[in-house]
Amino acid sequence: MFVSGLLKDKRILITGGGTGLGKNMARRFMELGAGVVICGRREEVLKETAGELAGETGGGISWKPLDIRDPEAVERTLAEVWDDGPLDALVNNAAGNFLSRTEDLSHRALDAVVNIVLHGSAYMTLECGKRWIAERRPGNVLSIVTTYAWTGSGYVVPSAMGKAGVLAMTRSLAVEWGPKNIRLNAIAPGAFPTEGAWSRLLPREDLAEAFETRNPLGRAGDPDELANLAAYLLSDQSGFITGEVVTIDGGAWLSGAGQFNFASMLSDEDWQNLRPKKKDG
Ligand code: COA
């Protein structure tokens, strides 16, 4: 879909880049010529992923162990990253989530999710933004949110609160930092199966299948479809897009929202019966 040098000369940091969708984005960005820095809590995982992706793509990749909930660690790590050269883009991909009745949550459970999703993404964004502004460099922040950032969703309430905040940050800073040539956009993915998310969110196999096919296109997303959208939003080809959220969910959230979409359950006979009867003669 893209020319091979689309992201040439771009240095992109991906939080949660050691596994799942973050790892897949890293691979795609490297294939398109970017240099990548992956961050995550587990050094062994990062090291293995970096070795694997470097071997597969021949591209440049480094890793930094980092818990984005810790603002001092974020500051320290970004200073180290910048010592090796400035970043061009940040992908706020790391998240924390689990399915729970909200009345079962302790305040620590609420914090565990909100501190990763909202505070972690904000710490990363601010540390990059301050540097880009001080150096008068253009910057690009892409945050992975979700459609329930605006619809809300039961049973993942801390995640919904956090993602709504990340979307508000995206839209707010797109305006505030636009004059400084810093763009901020978001992607709202639907069902993209990964081990990490599915084990936490879909405790039964039958739930997973229903979840994946519960959209008008009737299938789950392919991680490469998400990675290609991210590559586009990080490339200069999307240079006039900022403050936007792009949904990639096979139409799932709209199908739940449209008041009469239930009519897809009607049979051909039902539709025939709904048509006005022709008058005799
Ligand atoms: N239901 C209810 N409460 C839960 C829970 C669940 N499924 N999982 C964790 N909690 C609670 C814990 O009981 C604890 O509260 P307590 O001290 O009052 O008992 C609190 O959350 C913190 O748990 P802890 O395991 O110490 O948090 P952590 O910081 O190590 O882990 C999580 C953070 C909980 C988000 C963990 O799932 C994680 O690290 N996930 C990372 C990957 C991820 O979630 N990716 C997103 C995929 S969609």
Side-chain angles (χ1 to χ4, degrees):
M1 174 178 175
F2 301 121
V3 291
S4 60
L6 184 77
L7 298 177
K8 193 171 161 286
D9 300 329
K10 294 216 185 290
R11 189 154 182 257
I12 304 170
L13 186 150
I14 307 166
T15 62
T19 55
L21 299 177
K23 175 179 174 182
N24 202 61
M25 283 190 276
R27 179 188 291 110
R28 190 71 185 116
F29 300 162
M30 290 167 76
E31 285 169 356
L32 293 168
V36 162
V37 185
I38 52 173
C39 291
R41 284 179 289 181
R42 292 169 295 163
E43 184 160 16
E44 273 313 302
V45 172
L46 296 172
K47 201 169 159 182
E48 198 181 318
T49 295
E52 187 186 322
L53 298 188
E56 277 178 30
T57 66
I61 181 165
S62 59
W63 75 89
K64 293 274 177 201
L66 173 65
D67 185 339
I68 58 170
R69 292 174 293 190
D70 177 348
E72 280 154 22
V74 167
E75 200 180 340
R76 206 169 45 242
T77 303
L78 282 175
E80 286 171 20
V81 167
W82 240 265
D83 282 345
D84 296 336
L87 290 174
D88 298 288
L90 162 70
V91 180
N92 285 317
N93 164 74
N97 201 3
F98 50 76
L99 202 64
S100 175
R101 292 182 302 194
T102 306
E103 65 270 29
D104 293 340
L105 296 175
S106 68
H107 62 87
R108 279 181 294 271
L110 178 79
D111 288 350
V113 173
V114 174
N115 285 349
I116 300 173
V117 175
L118 180 60
H119 294 263
S121 302
Y123 299 152
M124 292 298 294
T125 303
L126 293 189
E127 283 303 320
C128 289
K130 282 178 195 169
R131 288 177 169 76
W132 287 325
I133 291 165
E135 295 167 10
R136 297 180 184 276
R137 292 183 68 86
N140 198 335
V141 179
L142 180 63
S143 296
I144 306 299
V145 296
T146 159
T147 55
Y148 62 70
W150 58 90
T151 64
S153 175
Y155 309 103
V156 285
V157 169
S159 170
M161 293 162 61
K163 296 285 191 181
V166 173
L167 185 54
M169 176 182 77
T170 299
R171 290 175 167 152
S172 307
L173 288 178
V175 174
E176 189 177 334
W177 287 355
K180 300 180 193 305
N181 215 359
I182 298 171
R183 295 197 286 135
L184 295 99
N185 290 296
I187 294 179
F192 284 85
T194 63
E195 196 341 80
W198 264 221
S199 62
R200 289 178 177 88
L201 299 173
L202 299 165
R204 289 195 336 234
E205 223 167 82
D206 56 320
L207 289 181
E209 199 185 325
F211 184 73
E212 287 168 18
T213 54
R214 196 187 56 93
N215 66 62
L217 298 183
R219 67 168 174 92
D222 175 340
D224 283 343
E225 293 173 315
L226 179 71
N228 279 329
L229 174 59
Y232 168 66
L233 289 170
L234 292 178
S235 78
D236 297 336
Q237 302 299 316
S238 64
F240 203 44
I241 302 179
T242 194
E244 191 51 83
V245 53
V246 182
T247 300
I248 178 164
D249 74 342
W253 88 268
L254 287 172
S255 78
Q259 207 170 9
F260 286 90
N261 288 340
F262 73 92
S264 62
M265 292 188 300
L266 298 185
S267 65
D268 285 344
E269 195 186 346
D270 292 329
W271 288 115
Q272 284 306 328
N273 290 337
L274 272 170
R275 293 175 70 94
K277 303 277 174 288
K278 289 221 170 64
K279 293 202 180 84
D280 289 340

